Structures are given as C-alpha cells and as structure tokens.
Amino acid sequence: DVQMTQSPSTLSASVGDRATITCRASQSIDSWVAWYQQKPGKAPKLLIYKASTLESGVPSRFSGSGSGTVFTLTISSLQPGDFATYYCQLYNFYPYTFGQGTKLEIK
Amino acid sequence: EVQLVESGGGVVQPGGSLRLSCAASGFSFSDYWMHWVRQAPGTGLFCVSRINNDGRITNYADSVKGRFTISRDNAKNTLYLQMNSLRVEDTAVYYCIRGNRVGVIPAGFDFWGQGSPVAVSS
C-alpha cells in the first residue's frame, strides 16, 4: 500500500502569513491527491483535487501543487477562518489513504 | 442543495451489530459512487468502504472486510452500512460521502454528511 506522510503535524502562524503543508507519497501516484479542511466538530471540506484543481467556491488563496511523490498545499495569506486541521488524501487505489493531518493554529 | 443525512449510530457492545443509513438528496444519487469514511476520536480519517453507482462493485478496508457490508437502494436514494461483529476499535464517527468526479475522472470527496457516532463499549 502507498503511504502518505504529511508534515508538519502542527503549524503555528499569524493572520496574513503564508502557510505551506507537504505530503509525501511512498511511491509515485501521478496527481491523484486531494486536500481537505476540517474544523472542530464538522465534516471535512474539499479544497483541492487532482493535486492542483481548486474546488468550486474555495477561495483563490488556497493552491495545490506537485506530482509524483511530493505535494503541497499553500495558503497565500491566512485569514481567521483558515485555522483548522488539513488533510491530504491519495485516491488512486482503494482504500484511499489520508495523511495524518496538520493542525494550523494561531501563533 | 446536496444533502447527506446519516442515521443509525449509537452505543453497542463488542460483538454487536448496527446498520447505518444515509439519505441523499439534491443530486442524482444513482450517478455517483458513494463512500463511508470514519474518524476515531481525536484521530485522522480512514476509508471504510465504497460502492459504485449501481451497487455491483464494492470495496472494503482490510480491517472491516467480512464484518461490514455496504449497499444502496437507488429507488430510495439511500446508502447503507451494515456493521457486524463490532469491535472497540470500530468506535468512530462515520461519514457518508459522495465521490466527486469530473466527467468519469474521480476528483476526491465533495459532499460529506454530518457524521454518525458509533461507540463500541462493554
């Protein structure tokens, strides 16, 4: 099975900062990566699919990049509502694998 | 508006059974793969099972294979997860999810239910 290693596990940042989260796959997975945001007590929300395609309605400050084994989610200028937990997901072969999550907290 | 509403969760003893249901509305249910994902308390996300649009193809995580059964009734726009021989480690919030697609290309999970808590405890 392909493993997804997500880092960092916690990221402290301030409003207006740029934040970058990385997922590394244990083998090449083309671009079959999605990114989700989850707030406490809520279901995750799809942000990005196919590594870099922004889901409809998601603000343009969110972007995804990468292919092969290394993928990144970037938030260009953090807003108060962006402080949440983020997950990457590999969806090429089932069962799809999620990263361990990155908690983005206010510094 | 797409809506996925789960029901059927609760507290059960180890070895017991539960059946989760997910009522779908706001989209053509029979056109989409559907999924169950769970999240144990304070932990990450884990894919449990999926089913194709007509119900003929099903897949399971190894840890639930032989114990859980996914099914769907397209006439009722409802997804199910029958969970038997439940274990303490099955304790989690279970989410019903629509598989996103662009044409026929998978594109992540675009709509999630609110989650149905399942607690397995003696």
Side-chain angles (χ1 to χ4, degrees):
Chain A
D1 291 356
V2 180
Q3 305 301 315
M4 295 290 274
T5 303
Q6 186 174 341
S7 61
S9 56
T10 305
L11 179 58
S12 297
S14 302
V15 172
D17 284 353
R18 180 185 186 91
T20 301
I21 299 168
T22 299
C23 270
R24 287 181 169 79
S26 56
Q27 63 190 66
S28 179
I29 56 173
D30 192 6
S31 298
W32 301 108
V33 170
W35 291 92
Y36 300 85
Q37 175 194 69
Q38 187 178 31
K39 296 184 178 180
K42 300 292 187 182
K45 172 188 174 182
L46 177 65
L47 301 173
I48 302 277
Y49 62 90
K50 205 62 163 65
S52 61
T53 303
L54 198 66
E55 171 69 347
S56 176
V58 175
S60 59
R61 64 181 180 273
F62 291 90
S63 64
S65 63
S67 67
T69 61
V70 181
F71 302 87
T72 60
L73 173 71
T74 300
I75 311 170
S76 60
S77 178
L78 286 167
Q79 299 302 302
D82 297 338
F83 293 93
T85 299
Y86 293 83
Y87 294 93
C88 61
Q89 179 200 33
L90 157 65
Y91 62 95
N92 62 343
F93 295 111
Y94 199 81
Y96 303 155
T97 304
F98 290 91
Q100 301 92 329
T102 294
K103 184 177 182 181
L104 178 55
E105 61 181 27
I106 299 176
K107 185 185 289 184
Chain B
E1 178 192 8
V2 171
Q3 286 198 315
L4 298 169
V5 180
E6 299 103 335
S7 60
V11 181
V12 63
Q13 291 188 335
S17 297
L18 281 176
R19 187 196 200 200
L20 302 183
S21 298
C22 171
S25 60
F27 67 103
S28 181
F29 181 70
S30 61
D31 286 346
Y32 288 84
W33 286 69
M34 296 295 295
H35 300 252
W36 290 99
V37 166
R38 71 185 183 189
Q39 186 169 34
T43 68
L45 301 160
F46 180 79
C47 284
V48 173
S49 184
R50 69 173 180 175
I51 188 167
N52 80 322
N53 58 319
D54 65 10
R56 297 185 190 185
I57 301 172
T58 59
N59 299 105
Y60 300 90
D62 285 346
S63 59
V64 306
K65 208 172 289 185
R67 300 188 299 122
F68 289 12
T69 302
I70 191 171
S71 62
R72 64 192 297 162
D73 185 335
N74 285 345
K76 295 182 178 179
N77 290 341
T78 303
L79 176 72
Y80 303 99
L81 185 68
Q82 177 67 44
M83 303 185 292
N84 298 331
S85 303
L86 281 161
R87 304 168 180 168
V88 171
E89 55 265 34
D90 295 320
T91 295
V93 174
Y94 285 73
Y95 293 102
C96 163
I97 298 162
R98 189 180 85 166
N100 190 24
R101 56 179 173 78
V102 177
V104 296
I105 306 300
F109 295 160
D110 60 349
F111 285 96
W112 298 57
Q114 83 283 0
S116 185
V118 171
V120 184
S121 172
S122 54

